[in-house]
Amino acid sequence: MFFERPDSGELAVLVHLNLASEHEPEDPREFEELVLSAGGDPVSLVTGQRKSPHPKYFVGTGKVDELCQVVKENAAGLVIFNHNLSPSQERNLEHELKCRVLDRTGLILDIFAQRARTHEGKLQVELAQLQHMSTRLVRGWTHLERQKGGIGLRGPGETQLETDRRLLRGRIKSILKRLEKVRRQRDQGRRSRLRAEIPTVSLVGYTNAGKSTLFNRLTDSDVYAADKLFATLDPTMRRIELDDVGPIILADTVGFISHLPHKLVEAFHATLEEAANASLLLHVVDAHSEERQTNIQRVNEVLEEIGALELPTLTVFNKIDLMNDMAARIDRDESGKPVAVWLSAQTGDGCPLLLEAATELLSDDIVCESFMLPPTLGRLRAILYQNNAVVSESQMDNGDVLVEVRMPKPSFLRLLKAEGLSHNQLRTVSPSPEQ
C-alpha cells in the first residue's frame, strides 16, 4: 500500500552516524546549527557507529527501532539525517518511522528556499530542488507504475511517473533558459566594469563567518545579517571609494559549507562567478571558531572547484572582539605585502586597516609622478582634474604647470592614448616622494 506523507512538523529528531568508510566525517555541531537555521526544533540527537551504511535504511534495523521509539516519545514530525540518503532509503525510513525523513542535501535546499529573495536566487534554488526531486519520483509513485486496461482505457497512455518526469524536464529546461539569460546579463555588467576598469572585490568565506556584517560596515548598507548559517543567499553589490584606487565594487556572496551539495554548486554557478572573476578576494574567517583551519580548507576546496583559488586573496580574521587580548593588525609577508587582517566587523575595530590593505593590493599598478605640462597641454590637465588624478599643482613663471598625478596606470595610459600622447612624451620632473 502506498504510504501517504503526513504534514511535516517543526519538532525534529537528528541522526548522526560515524562511518568508518567516511574519509571526512560531518560535524554534528554544524548539523544542529543547520537545523536551527532552517527553523527546526531539535528534540533529540541519535548517534551511532557503522562500518558502512545499511543498504535499506542507512542505519541498522536496531537503530530504526530506536528511532521509532524516540519519534513516538517526542511526537516529532521530522527526522533529519546528517548524511545523504538514497531515494529508496529515504522512502523506506518514512514507511517505518511514519514521519517525514530529510537528508543533509534536502535540509540545505530547504534553507536556501527560505533565504532566496531575488528572482535569480529563487530560480537557482528551484533548479537545485527539481534536480534533487527528480531522483525521488519512482518511490513516490510505485502504486501507479502500471495503468490498468479495460473498455475505453486501451491504447497509448502515460503513467503518472512518466507525466511527472516530463513536467520536471520541461520546468528544468525552462529554468535553465532563464538562468542563461541572467548569466548573459551578469556577463554584460562584468564587461562594463572591466571597460570602466572598476575592480571587483568579493567577500568569500565559510557560512556565518561575518561576511554580511563586514559588508554592511564597509558600505553603510543594511543587508540582512544574522547569527545563523546561510543568512545571505543572494549576492549583493555596492560601489565604494578607495583612496588611490578610486571606485570599486564590493560583492557579498553566499557562504560555503563542508560538502556543499554539487547540485547547489552547479545551480549557483552564475552567482559564484562573481567570486571567480573578482580582482581581489577577501576570505573572511571566524577567528574565534575552533574549526578555523578546517573551514579555511573547506572554502579553498569550493574556490578551487569554481576556478578562483589562484586569484589574489587577502585573509580577513573576523570576530576578534570574542578573543582575549587580540588587537587589530595587518600581517605581511617577507616582501611587506599584506596577507591577512585581524578585525571585528561587529565593533568596526580594524576595518580601516582592511581598507588600507585592500588599497595596497589593488594599487600595485599606480602612476604616481610629477609632470611639467606646457600651456599647449591644458586640455590634458583639465582631463586629469576630471578624473580626480591631480594631487597638487604649481604654476611656473613661464606658464608651465607642475602637476603631481596619481591614478591607475591602465587608466592613465588609455587617457594619454585618447589625447594622441605617450608616456615618454611627457616631461617627468621627479618621482613622487611616496613611491
Side-chain angles (χ1 to χ4, degrees):
M1 183 66 186
F2 176 64
F3 169 63
E4 294 290 346
R5 284 184 168 183
D7 294 333
S8 62
E10 295 300 315
L11 297 179
V13 173
L14 314 187
V15 182
H16 174 82
L17 291 189
N18 291 315
L19 299 171
S21 58
E22 275 188 334
H23 298 297
E24 190 180 344
E26 305 289 0
D27 183 1
R29 287 175 300 178
E30 180 183 85
F31 176 43
E32 188 173 353
E33 286 181 29
L34 278 171
V35 175
L36 290 169
S37 187
D41 182 9
V43 292
S44 178
L45 174 62
V46 177
T47 59
Q49 287 188 335
R50 282 186 68 88
K51 287 185 178 179
S52 60
H54 189 283
K56 187 173 182 181
Y57 298 116
F58 193 88
V59 295
T61 52
K63 191 65 70 175
V64 172
D65 294 337
E66 181 186 340
L67 280 171
C68 285
Q69 188 63 30
V70 173
V71 168
K72 195 176 296 184
E73 287 174 359
N74 293 282
L78 185 61
V79 174
I80 309 176
F81 278 71
N82 194 20
H83 310 272
N84 289 328
L85 303 176
S86 69
S88 60
Q89 287 170 340
E90 199 173 289
R91 201 70 201 161
N92 292 335
L93 284 164
E94 287 187 339
H95 193 276
E96 294 295 328
L97 302 177
K98 299 295 186 289
C99 70
R100 189 166 176 232
V101 174
L102 203 62
D103 68 356
R104 182 182 172 85
T105 298
L107 174 64
I108 294 174
L109 283 171
D110 185 81
I111 296 172
F112 273 46
Q114 292 180 45
R115 301 282 190 273
R117 293 290 179 270
T118 64
H119 174 64
E120 179 191 358
K122 290 175 182 177
L123 283 176
Q124 290 169 327
V125 169
E126 186 180 353
L127 174 61
Q129 285 181 318
L130 290 175
Q131 290 172 335
H132 184 66
M133 190 191 305
S134 63
T135 63
R136 283 156 166 74
L137 287 178
V138 176
R139 302 298 303 179
W141 292 110
T142 48
H143 65 310
L144 294 177
E145 277 181 343
R146 292 185 182 87
Q147 289 184 341
K148 294 178 181 178
I151 298 173
L153 295 174
R154 295 183 180 90
E158 186 175 41
T159 65
Q160 182 64 52
L161 178 59
E162 288 166 345
T163 304
D164 282 358
R165 278 177 171 160
R166 178 172 52 79
L167 291 173
L168 269 179
R169 281 196 300 269
R171 181 61 181 161
I172 288 174
K173 191 174 179 181
S174 169
I175 291 175
L176 286 172
K177 277 186 179 177
R178 292 162 78 179
L179 280 175
E180 184 57 37
K181 183 179 179 183
V182 171
R183 187 171 286 123
R184 286 197 300 269
Q185 290 172 339
R186 278 191 177 278
D187 286 341
Q188 188 175 0
R190 204 174 288 122
R191 285 194 298 271
S192 298
R193 292 198 297 273
L194 282 172
R195 282 196 299 270
E197 293 180 348
I198 300 177
T200 300
V201 178
S202 285
L203 294 167
V204 299
Y206 207 72
T207 182
N208 205 28
K211 295 184 296 299
S212 295
T213 305
L214 180 60
F215 182 85
N216 288 338
R217 175 71 63 178
L218 296 177
T219 62
D220 292 327
S221 301
D222 56 353
V223 170
Y224 177 67
D227 186 18
K228 57 176 71 172
L229 302 186
F230 296 119
T232 301
L233 183 59
D234 302 306
T236 310
M237 296 188 183
R238 294 289 186 274
R239 178 173 168 144
I240 62 173
E241 294 281 336
L242 286 184
D243 294 339
D244 298 335
V245 176
I248 69 163
I249 301 296
L250 188 65
D252 187 18
T253 60
V254 62
F256 301 155
I257 196 169
S258 62
H259 306 141
L260 189 68
H262 195 70
K263 292 184 183 70
L264 283 177
V265 176
E266 289 177 350
F268 281 80
H269 196 266
T271 301
L272 295 172
E273 277 178 352
E274 291 301 335
N277 291 279
S279 308
L280 175 66
L281 295 181
L282 299 183
H283 182 171
V284 184
V285 179
D286 181 353
H288 185 251
S289 171
E290 296 175 5
E291 302 287 320
R292 186 169 79 189
Q293 283 306 124
T294 307
N295 292 347
I296 290 173
Q297 182 59 37
R298 288 166 176 168
V299 170
N300 287 338
E301 287 171 4
V302 180
L303 289 176
E304 186 175 16
E305 191 168 348
I306 63 174
L309 189 58
E310 301 303 318
L311 292 176
T313 303
L314 178 66
T315 305
V316 181
F317 290 105
N318 188 24
K319 304 189 183 181
I320 62 169
D321 53 305
L322 302 178
M323 305 169 72
N324 293 327
D325 301 324
M326 179 60 71
R329 70 174 192 268
I330 298 177
D331 292 344
R332 300 176 182 273
D333 60 14
E334 300 80 11
S335 62
K337 184 178 174 182
V339 292
V341 178
W342 297 74
L343 55 75
S344 168
Q346 190 67 42
T347 65
D349 186 25
C351 287
L353 294 178
L354 173 61
L355 294 176
E356 179 187 322
T359 299
E360 283 188 48
L361 293 173
L362 290 171
S363 62
D364 277 347
D365 210 10
I366 291 285
V367 170
C368 187
E369 297 180 76
S370 294
F371 302 101
M372 191 68 75
L373 302 182
T376 53
L377 292 181
R379 175 182 163 85
L380 175 61
R381 173 177 169 269
I383 293 174
L384 288 171
Y385 267 104
Q386 287 174 10
N387 285 271
N388 296 317
V390 178
V391 178
S392 64
E393 75 167 26
S394 303
Q395 194 79 33
M396 301 293 107
D397 293 339
N398 62 355
D400 291 353
V401 179
L402 178 64
V403 179
E404 185 182 349
V405 174
R406 191 179 184 96
M407 71 183 299
K409 191 172 184 179
S411 301
F412 183 66
L413 294 178
R414 191 181 68 246
L415 185 152
L416 292 180
K417 186 178 179 181
E419 293 300 306
L421 298 168
S422 70
H423 198 164
N424 296 331
Q425 288 177 277
L426 295 181
R427 184 180 160 202
T428 305
V429 175
S430 62
S432 169
E434 290 184 23
Q435 275 193 317

